[in-house]
Amino acid sequence: MSVSTNMIAEGELRLRLDRFQWWALAAGGLGLFLSLAAWSLWPEQFWPSYLVAYVFWVGLALGCMGLTMLHHLVGGSWGLVVRRPMESGGMTLLPLALLFVPLALGLSQLYPWARPEEVAHDPQLQHKSLYLNVGFYLVRTVGYFVIWLVFASVLNRLSSDQDRRADHRPSGKLQWLSGPGLVLLFLTGTFSAIDWLMSLEPHWSSTIYGCLVIVGEALATLAMMIAVVVFLSADQPMAEATTPDRLNDLGNLMLTFTILWAYMSFMQYLIIWCGNLPEEIPWYLRRTRGGWQWVALALSLFHFFLPFFVLLFRESKRQSRLIVQVAILVLAMHWVDLIWLVVPASSDPASPRIPWVELPLSLVAMLGIGGLCTAFFIGHLKGRPLIPLNDPHLNEVIEHAGGLGQR
Amino acid sequence: MTHRDPESDSAAEASPVLAPGHTYGTVTDKISALVLVRPYNWRWFLGLGVGFALTMMLLLAITVLLVHGVGIWGVDVPVMWGFAIVNFVWWIGIGHAGTLISAILLLLKQDWRTSINRFAEAMTLFAVACAGLFPLLHLGRPWVFYWLLPYPNTMALWPQWRSPLIWDVFAVSTYATVSLLFWYVGLIPDLATLRDRAKNRWAGYIYGFLAMGWRGSARHWHRYRTAYLLLAGLATPLVVSVHSVVSLDFTVAILPGWHSTIFPPYFVAGAIFSGFAMVVTIAVPLRAAYGLHDFITTRHLENMAKVMLATGLIVAYGYLMEAFTAWYSHDPYERFVQLANRPFGPYAHTYWMMLTCNVFIPQLLWFRSVRTSALGLWVLAFFVNIGMWLERYVIVITSLHRDFLPSSWAMYHGTVWDYATYYGTLGLFLSLMFLFIRFLPVISISEMRELVHETEQDQERRAEQLSTEGTVS
Amino acid sequence: MKAAPAPTGPYGLMAEFDRPDDLVEATRRAYEHGYRMMEAYTPFPVDGLAEALGFRHNRIGAVVLIGGVAGGLGGFFMQWFSAVIHYPVDIGGRPFNSWPAFIPITFEMTVLFAALAAVVGMLGLNGLPRPHHPVFNVPRFALASRNRFFLCLQARDPLFDAEGTFRFLEESQPKAISVVPF
Amino acid sequence: MPQIFHPSANTLSRLTLFGMAVGPLGLLIVSYLLIRSPYQTGVRVIREQPVPFSHEHHVGGLGIDCRYCHTSVETSSFAGLPPTHTCMTCHSQIWSTSPMLEPVRTSLAMKQPIVWTRIHNLPDFVYFNHAIHIQKGIGCVSCHGRVDKMPITWKEEPLTMEWCLECHRHPERHLREKREVFNMEWAPPVPEQLEIGRHLIEREHIEVDRLTNCSVCHR
């Protein structure tokens, strides 16, 4: 692999990126416009859809940050090709922070604890109002974004610094920062999952919930990064950097997180199923009846079994076409997973139904937020070398790549 | 070749996984000499003697137990799970590091595993053996232990598959079997080395018998490597499943403080945490006593310290989530256990000691100077060992001694026999460890040779690259 | 298996090398020359050596897969049969087919049988245990588990003839060549 | 130290491994067979009694009804062993000097019941009730075998839990009309037994599902 070029997207790749960015921007604009229309027409059905799409894209941004810091800590050749896309992915938190503003308007539509008339009749919610109230919720959310944005920009700035320097001081700082950063990210990720998702059903709680959401986000991020890397590697300069070994490494990571996701999901289910307590089991009753059981089955088949069996085999991780198909499947199923987590929340556990009307709404919101984020992501990615040029581990990684395939 | 790379300022370069200057021959000779040449010395006898004496105490405690029943222990309503379960979970947890180090690090291609995997695996086996004793003894009638297994009996009865205690039987016995297989398969080439180098006729027979006629054929190595890698791939999820199942013993019960969904991952992390602490506890004196500084380098210590830091933080996250969710859920029972009884109840001192050992002290591992100091790390690992025992004590006792019915609240204390059994298993563990050190290679010889080979290749490649870069510029 | 040749002749010729690369090179040469009945012996797994011998696919993966599938299906069937068919007992109102509760043991049985299949398969396909083997008759072969690398061309190969093969081996410049007696 | 083993070691080591794999399996099979053999269950094992009482003679030969001696079998959990007086209703008249019956006469004189060696003995944790079995139509033969053909009484069935459950799971295979319960010779017309059994289950309100509940026998 040659490191002689400056690795900035040029030529054919640049053209493709420009085109994609334009389409994404157009899709985002259209999606947001339609979302606005949907909101005015069906406000109650719209907010859960918007929340699903919003958490999907925030999750990807957080996953990018987390995996970047993980790579700074443990190294490994897998991170080399995805570091820059991940850094840019972290920066999409900037538009996402703005996109939270409409959500803040719809809190009372989403959360039972934000509806004073409901709280008045519910002693449980009155007890919990110390934590679950609109003001504190917004303060916490602002706090998460401040922390995330500070970390995202520091990660980017130091990484860009490194490109221009011969010594490894920025890399050292990055490594130093990543330990505490990861701890902080894990905590804020957990609490944002509790605030945004778990409190949709304020009577229910599960200690693994934060972990479960974070693992799902990391898995989706890996899938997205595989798709991005394969997209980029169709042209120079990334074509040379993306070897089957790299895809293999990323595929292995995706396999690991697929297993972790299935493990945590199943453990939560098993414990609550065995316990069968009235304050816990309704959460699953809502999600395993009235059509939702088929969604749950689809999740276990296509969020776990199918990717698991495909990724189990070495050869399938080394073919870019196949692994991209798996990655897109995982991304789609992550979206279905979020729908499964969010949408049934407001239903009656005795007779939940799949509200099919929300499906197009959800697609519209996905398009709007996703288009905007993607456009921002590409814009950020275009301006920088696609590979961290002066990373101290770069040489090591290149050397290692030769030996990897033989094991 | 002693060519120094100009880029070699990263930590990985500064402390290699193998001290320079070793060849295939020297690693083979040095490690096999530990078994074949080194004469018995007083230190070894002293260690074995202490272990043996404690093992005798264990046998005494077990005999008394068999004669009198579990009444000699401190268990009684409402705390019917006392030391036996605490010790079981503690030992099983320790038993996690060995197979995990071997398997996961092999899959992750971490070459620093090579010099610690063998004795870590042995540690796993011995720890699982100690762990297995406790539930069996706790049965009350240990001699009918086979009732736990599904077999065609005249009562036409089957185990209760919905009970996590039966899951435990399968998980622990599978884990013991797979760990043994993994360990033994790893040992085969080394047993062949010992067979070929044995001076003593009987040693030759015994090692030769165990080596099964291994002759290092290329085709054999090919299948061997695949099988070993697949075993590692199987062992990794197995390790995770075993402690998850152990955690389900608690979570499936609907007791406050037990019925918590974070338990499986947090128990697994805790197990790795305590397991690595035990590896450090053994590795540091071992390398001092046998001069293994070349093989167990500072890099190993630092890496183990990093794993301990990471898993310790996950454990702390588990404590935090339990406490927060208790507060958040507003469940009065959960709140009482998590926010009143544990931190401020009659066992508060245990709880705070646990937090000190498991959460506060391990934060020192953020400092590189602590991570690279053998003595400092050893002391810290000791605290973790204690802390993880206390964690299980807190979980088991504080949830039981104040359950839903205040009229049956009571205190629990271990009796002399509880302590005798616990220290007895420590002795059993110690004895087995000392016997292992004496009779089997503590470091994988064949993998060490492979490491020498890879190191040489790396150096050659680096030298080549350097020379070509030189000509370009 | 063909019947062993007359016990009077040698088992084969064995060349000894210092470096793994030399052994791989010599093996490749022998294979290209047409030798098939041969085996290389090393103190640790050497990359590319089995391939140089013309050995590419081992069947361990398939064996393990079969073992795992058998263990998993068997494990679930055992629980399902005993809890649903043979002695259904109502415990705490849970369904007879409590499949979530059956998963842990199903998983353990999958791993157990796959692991047993891996070890038994590895030993079986390798023809182990075999404590006695003609190659051990060469005294220097003890170094095969230390720091030497051996290539043994067997007498049952049609191309084998004591002198010609000896000369052929010499061309690879081994450290030593020894006759392997039966 | 090469070649330390004789060629026979190859066979030996393989046999050892084979033994390690097959040995436990063999042990399992042996114990399975042993535990169901008369050695463990006592089926058809002759036990010495103080008086060699022959059911063959009394039931088969003389045609005495079961209930003549086992008086409480229809109403109580315990079938009842006859007091010495019952024996004496006849044996004060016939065989009154037979040395074989000496223990019976002693028992009467000393007012001490005869101590029989028990043949059918269930563990204390099993609750068994004769009455319900008789009332619902389980023939004596089903559990005790052809007592009318036993010169000295033996156990015909193993009385293991497995054996009990076989009938509790499928009572239709063994039920008979109440009038035939004490009939030693009644054998079901083979193809119709299941039909008869199902009919009786319905008529007698036997809830088969609950017959295998733990608390039916373990109270």
Side-chain angles (χ1 to χ4, degrees):
Chain A
M1 171 180 123
S2 85
V3 242
S4 50
T5 53
N6 64 2
M7 284 289 180
I8 289 187
E10 283 168 339
E12 186 62 29
L13 180 61
R14 179 68 182 232
L15 280 177
R16 279 200 305 141
L17 281 176
D18 284 342
R19 222 171 324 155
F20 203 88
Q21 188 182 17
W22 194 89
W23 277 110
L25 202 61
L30 181 70
L32 283 185
F33 175 74
L34 288 175
S35 295
L36 208 64
W39 173 47
S40 54
L41 288 173
W42 306 279
E44 256 175 64
Q45 283 85 355
F46 174 72
W47 286 116
S49 312
Y50 188 82
L51 183 67
V52 167
Y54 186 74
V55 172
F56 182 93
W57 291 100
V58 171
L60 287 178
L62 294 182
C64 282
M65 269 171 67
L67 290 172
T68 309
M69 291 199 266
L70 191 71
H71 183 242
H72 285 308
L73 279 180
V74 302
S77 44
W78 60 275
L80 186 74
V81 283
V82 290
R83 253 270 292 286
R84 280 290 139 82
M86 288 198 305
E87 283 167 359
S88 299
M91 286 312 287
T92 55
L93 283 167
L94 213 55
L96 282 165
L98 293 177
L99 286 167
F100 187 82
V101 175
L103 203 58
L105 301 174
L107 291 187
S108 62
Q109 308 272 8
L110 270 170
Y111 300 102
W113 51 262
R115 292 193 280 270
E117 69 280 4
E118 203 154 320
V119 177
H121 298 115
D122 194 328
Q124 266 271 348
L125 292 185
Q126 287 161 23
H127 281 305
K128 288 187 176 181
S129 62
L130 194 60
Y131 186 77
L132 294 178
N133 61 66
V134 174
F136 193 23
Y137 176 95
L138 292 177
V139 167
R140 286 197 303 268
T141 300
V142 170
Y144 304 145
F145 272 105
V146 168
I147 293 172
W148 294 339
L149 284 172
V150 165
F151 268 95
S153 52
V154 169
L155 285 176
N156 270 281
R157 215 194 56 227
L158 286 175
S159 187
S160 297
D161 267 4
Q162 184 66 77
D163 283 351
R164 294 187 287 271
R165 289 170 74 129
D167 67 342
H168 293 318
R169 190 162 303 147
S171 288
K173 276 189 198 158
L174 277 169
Q175 202 176 5
W176 184 87
L177 201 70
S178 289
L182 211 52
V183 173
L184 210 56
L185 186 66
F186 213 87
L187 287 176
T188 48
T190 299
F191 282 97
S192 68
I194 292 173
D195 288 353
W196 296 349
L197 298 177
M198 197 166 99
S199 76
L200 286 166
E201 282 149 280
H203 295 279
W204 182 81
S205 60
S206 166
T207 42
I208 205 175
Y209 196 82
C211 272
L212 188 54
V213 170
I214 289 173
V215 166
E217 287 171 350
L219 172 61
T221 307
L222 281 164
M224 181 59 104
M225 284 305 124
I226 286 174
V228 168
V229 159
V230 173
F231 178 87
L232 292 176
S233 66
D235 295 298
Q236 296 297 358
M238 288 293 277
E240 279 180 36
T242 315
T243 59
D245 282 334
R246 297 286 144 67
L247 287 179
N248 195 11
D249 289 345
L250 287 169
N252 277 333
L253 271 173
M254 193 156 81
L255 177 64
T256 310
F257 276 93
T258 304
I259 297 171
L260 262 182
W261 177 85
Y263 162 72
M264 289 186 176
S265 306
F266 179 69
M267 283 301 163
Q268 176 178 289
Y269 178 61
L270 182 63
I271 290 167
I272 290 178
W273 184 87
C274 283
N276 204 22
L277 292 174
E279 63 266 30
E280 287 181 346
I281 201 72
W283 196 86
Y284 277 109
L285 293 183
R286 287 192 179 101
R287 285 161 179 82
T288 51
R289 287 175 177 191
W292 286 110
Q293 71 268 39
W294 304 113
V295 180
L297 184 71
L299 280 173
S300 66
L301 289 181
F302 302 115
H303 204 321
F304 174 61
F305 279 104
L306 187 64
F308 171 75
F309 279 111
V310 175
L311 293 172
L312 207 51
F313 298 97
R314 203 175 117 90
E315 285 316 308
S316 45
K317 281 175 280 198
R318 305 174 73 84
Q319 296 165 18
S320 54
R321 270 184 68 89
L322 187 57
I323 200 169
V324 162
Q325 283 166 0
V326 175
I328 289 171
L329 176 73
V330 167
L331 274 173
M333 290 320 288
H334 178 60
W335 177 57
V336 175
D337 186 27
L338 285 173
I339 291 178
W340 190 72
L341 288 180
V342 170
V343 175
S346 54
S347 60
D348 174 16
S351 57
R353 278 182 317 103
I354 296 187
W356 291 107
V357 258
E358 287 188 23
L359 195 69
L361 300 187
S362 198
L363 275 170
V364 162
M366 280 293 283
L367 200 67
I369 303 177
L372 222 60
C373 283
T374 310
F376 185 90
F377 168 75
I378 294 177
H380 195 267
L381 189 67
K382 273 193 306 195
R384 311 162 70 206
L386 292 170
I387 296 251
L389 290 173
N390 293 336
D391 190 273
H393 295 287
L394 192 62
N395 273 330
E396 222 173 278
V397 162
I398 295 165
E399 265 172 38
H400 215 79
L404 267 178
Q406 292 154 15
R407 269 268 176 182
Chain B
M1 228 183 281
T2 51
H3 198 98
R4 266 196 73 74
D5 195 300
E7 305 252 320
S8 65
D9 52 357
S10 66
E13 290 290 325
S15 46
V17 287
L18 178 67
H22 275 294
T23 67
Y24 309 132
T26 57
V27 292
T28 307
D29 297 345
K30 185 153 186 184
I31 303 171
S32 58
L34 292 181
V35 177
L36 296 172
V37 180
R38 178 168 283 272
Y40 301 92
N41 63 24
W42 65 269
R43 259 175 286 177
W44 184 82
F45 272 111
L46 182 73
L48 185 66
V50 170
F52 187 75
L54 286 170
T55 310
M56 289 301 109
M57 188 170 80
L58 174 68
L59 290 184
L60 177 72
I62 292 176
T63 311
V64 175
L65 178 82
L66 293 184
V67 172
H68 292 288
V70 284
I72 63 164
W73 289 349
V75 283
D76 200 350
V77 172
V79 185
M80 58 286 178
W81 275 9
F83 265 43
I85 304 302
V86 175
N87 295 339
F88 164 68
V89 181
W90 188 72
W91 274 121
I92 278 282
I94 286 171
H96 273 58
T99 305
L100 194 92
I101 286 176
S102 269
I104 288 192
L105 298 185
L106 180 72
L107 296 179
L108 295 178
K109 301 160 200 143
Q110 299 287 321
D111 46 10
W112 61 276
R113 91 183 248 287
T114 305
S115 45
I116 52 170
N117 70 337
R118 173 66 49 71
F119 73 80
E121 282 165 34
M123 195 189 87
T124 286
L125 288 174
F126 306 149
V128 170
C130 291
L133 272 177
F134 285 101
L136 288 183
L137 295 176
H138 201 186
L139 286 175
R141 284 189 281 168
W143 48 90
V144 290
F145 72 93
Y146 57 87
W147 287 7
L148 291 164
L149 304 172
Y151 69 104
N153 53 49
T154 57
M155 298 169 282
L157 283 179
W158 296 97
Q160 173 47 263
W161 306 116
R162 297 172 192 88
S163 160
L165 301 179
I166 283 296
W167 307 344
D168 241 2
V169 173
F170 278 81
V172 174
S173 56
T174 300
Y175 185 54
T177 312
V178 174
S179 298
L180 184 69
L181 289 175
F182 193 52
W183 185 63
Y184 181 64
V185 168
L187 265 171
I188 289 175
D190 287 1
L191 290 166
T193 300
L194 293 176
R195 169 199 66 199
D196 293 340
R197 298 176 54 73
K199 305 279 184 294
N200 170 314
R201 188 178 165 77
W202 277 102
Y205 276 133
I206 292 169
Y207 288 127
F209 179 74
L210 293 172
M212 292 192 176
W214 182 261
R215 50 189 187 274
S217 147
R219 289 182 175 88
H220 291 187
W221 276 122
H222 200 265
R223 295 194 187 97
Y224 175 90
R225 258 222 287 214
T226 314
Y228 195 61
L229 212 59
L230 286 171
L231 276 178
L234 290 165
T236 307
L238 179 65
V239 172
V240 174
S241 83
V242 172
H243 224 66
S244 300
V245 167
V246 171
S247 80
L248 291 173
D249 291 344
F250 298 100
T251 49
V252 164
I254 49 178
L255 217 55
W258 283 8
H259 185 68
S260 173
T261 48
I262 192 78
F263 261 38
Y266 131 73
F267 261 52
V268 172
I272 300 166
F273 187 41
S274 68
F276 268 83
M278 192 52 109
V279 174
V280 170
T281 311
I282 294 170
V284 169
L286 189 72
R287 79 170 194 159
Y290 288 94
L292 296 175
H293 295 80
D294 286 2
F295 304 137
I296 303 172
T297 61
T298 309
R299 169 128 178 250
H300 291 102
L301 296 182
E302 190 175 1
N303 281 347
M304 288 194 276
K306 282 177 181 168
V307 175
M308 277 167 64
L309 178 59
T311 47
L313 286 171
I314 300 179
V315 170
Y317 175 86
Y319 299 155
L320 176 73
M321 286 326 289
E322 276 189 284
F324 172 77
T325 310
W327 180 79
Y328 170 90
S329 73
H330 240 280
D331 179 317
Y333 305 103
E334 200 68 45
R335 276 192 151 197
F336 169 72
V337 168
Q338 299 285 357
L339 305 176
N341 194 34
R342 280 189 188 169
F344 307 113
Y347 291 103
H349 56 284
T350 329
Y351 181 78
W352 290 105
M353 265 157 64
M354 167 193 95
L355 282 187
T356 310
C357 294
N358 285 350
V359 180
F360 305 140
I361 292 181
Q363 300 313 315
L364 289 171
L365 292 170
W366 287 102
F367 301 103
R368 191 158 183 234
S369 51
V370 177
R371 292 200 299 261
T372 49
S373 139
L375 183 68
L377 202 56
W378 191 72
V379 173
L380 197 144
F382 226 91
F383 276 110
V384 174
N385 284 324
I386 296 168
M388 287 308 291
W389 191 87
L390 291 173
E391 179 195 300
R392 280 65 178 254
Y393 191 88
V394 166
I395 291 173
V396 170
I397 279 90
T398 59
S399 278
L400 283 171
H401 90 124
R402 302 245 148 125
D403 66 3
F404 292 109
L405 199 64
S407 63
S408 58
W409 285 5
M411 290 295 287
Y412 169 85
H413 301 286
T415 63
V416 167
W417 295 112
D418 278 311
Y419 284 98
T421 318
Y422 173 50
Y423 292 130
T425 51
L426 281 174
L428 177 65
F429 180 77
L430 210 62
S431 315
L432 290 169
M433 214 63 210
F434 272 98
L435 289 174
F436 160 70
I437 290 169
R438 179 64 190 81
F439 293 111
L440 289 169
V442 284
I443 292 175
S444 172
I445 309 175
S446 66
E447 286 184 26
M448 261 320 186
R449 288 189 291 249
E450 209 178 339
L451 191 63
V452 171
H453 180 58
E454 277 164 18
T455 316
E456 278 176 6
Q457 278 187 330
D458 274 359
Q459 279 172 353
E460 276 169 32
R461 203 178 299 136
R462 196 164 299 162
E464 263 172 45
Q465 200 178 29
L466 222 64
S467 59
T468 50
E469 269 173 28
T471 49
V472 166
S473 61
Chain C
M1 280 284 267
K2 277 200 297 184
T8 45
Y11 172 79
L13 282 174
M14 191 182 263
E16 180 183 330
F17 298 91
D18 257 347
R19 290 161 40 84
D21 301 348
D22 299 344
L23 174 67
V24 177
E25 192 47 47
T27 310
R28 200 168 286 143
R29 241 188 99 237
Y31 189 84
E32 278 159 15
H33 194 263
Y35 285 102
R36 291 294 179 272
M37 304 288 174
M38 58 179 174
E39 187 54 273
Y41 302 93
T42 55
F44 56 86
V46 173
D47 287 324
L49 187 57
E51 286 77 6
L53 285 163
F55 181 79
R56 262 158 245 284
H57 301 288
N58 63 50
R59 285 171 291 162
I60 301 285
V63 171
V64 172
L65 189 68
I66 292 168
V69 169
L73 291 179
F76 193 87
F77 176 78
M78 169 179 76
Q79 300 174 75
W80 174 82
F81 172 77
S82 56
V84 178
I85 305 295
H86 192 245
Y87 200 165
V89 187
D90 186 337
I91 304 285
R94 301 232 155 45
F96 292 137
N97 183 15
S98 297
W99 66 267
F102 297 165
I103 298 289
I105 291 181
T106 306
F107 173 80
E108 303 298 337
M109 294 299 276
T110 309
V111 172
L112 179 66
F113 277 76
L116 285 171
V119 176
V120 172
M122 187 271 286
L123 290 177
L125 291 171
N126 281 350
L128 296 175
R130 190 173 178 182
H132 172 93
H133 192 275
V135 291
F136 291 122
N137 288 331
V138 179
R140 292 188 63 80
F141 190 73
L143 294 177
S145 63
R146 184 171 181 265
N147 59 351
R148 293 295 151 78
F149 304 82
F150 293 88
L151 176 66
C152 179
L153 299 181
Q154 293 163 12
R156 62 196 171 111
D157 192 289
L159 278 182
F160 187 90
D161 96 276
E163 272 183 44
T165 304
F166 189 89
R167 271 200 302 277
F168 174 78
L169 279 176
E170 260 188 337
E171 286 163 26
S172 298
Q173 293 167 327
K175 209 173 151 58
I177 300 178
S178 20
V179 178
V180 186
F182 259 108
Chain D
M1 214 166 56
Q3 205 63 290
I4 42 182
F5 290 98
H6 189 261
S8 64
N10 289 350
T11 316
L12 195 69
S13 59
R14 276 167 209 175
L15 278 179
T16 313
L17 269 195
F18 186 73
M20 275 165 64
V22 175
L25 195 71
L27 207 69
L28 197 73
I29 293 170
V30 167
S31 54
Y32 179 86
L33 295 174
L34 201 67
I35 222 100
R36 285 163 177 77
S37 72
Y39 178 76
Q40 180 70 21
T41 58
V43 168
R44 284 176 178 266
V45 171
I46 308 295
R47 299 202 192 280
E48 202 164 319
Q49 300 287 2
V51 182
F53 177 83
S54 165
H55 277 94
E56 185 181 38
H57 174 65
H58 291 85
V59 182
L62 303 176
I64 301 176
D65 190 88
C66 306
R67 287 161 289 185
Y68 184 80
C69 298
H70 305 293
T71 49
S72 59
V73 70
E74 287 174 296
T75 52
S76 153
S77 64
F78 187 54
L81 272 177
T84 312
H85 280 287
T86 309
C87 308
M88 277 303 174
T89 42
C90 295
H91 288 297
S92 59
Q93 306 298 319
I94 50 170
W95 299 101
S96 55
T97 52
S98 162
M100 247 198 310
L101 294 177
E102 183 55 38
V104 183
R105 291 190 294 273
T106 319
S107 155
L108 189 71
M110 307 292 291
K111 295 191 193 298
Q112 288 286 329
I114 301 167
V115 184
W116 299 96
T117 307
R118 198 160 181 163
I119 305 290
H120 297 91
N121 197 4
L122 288 175
D124 289 350
F125 51 77
V126 180
Y127 174 78
F128 178 82
N129 190 326
H130 271 96
I132 189 73
H133 288 84
I134 300 294
Q135 294 301 341
K136 296 288 178 183
I138 295 295
C140 303
V141 179
S142 294
C143 306
H144 296 289
R146 289 299 295 267
V147 174
D148 60 326
K149 290 187 173 169
M150 292 180 191
I152 187 148
T153 315
W154 62 70
K155 196 174 163 189
E156 184 68 24
E157 300 289 347
L159 305 193
T160 57
M161 180 170 161
E162 190 179 40
W163 174 83
C164 294
L165 279 173
E166 195 275 322
C167 187
H168 274 219
R169 279 173 187 152
H170 309 285
E172 69 277 7
R173 293 178 190 167
H174 305 275
L175 285 170
R176 54 176 73 186
E177 284 288 351
K178 233 184 271 182
R179 61 176 178 275
E180 305 293 353
V181 163
F182 298 99
N183 184 351
M184 285 285 139
E185 277 158 4
W186 186 84
V190 177
E192 289 104 65
Q193 171 63 53
L194 292 181
E195 220 169 284
I196 297 171
R198 286 195 197 105
H199 168 67
L200 287 173
I201 285 174
E202 202 160 316
R203 202 186 70 195
E204 301 292 330
H205 308 295
I206 299 172
E207 292 176 61
V208 181
D209 285 348
R210 289 168 60 180
L211 282 184
T212 50
N213 280 5
C214 308
S215 58
V216 168
C217 308
H218 304 290
R219 299 189 168 184

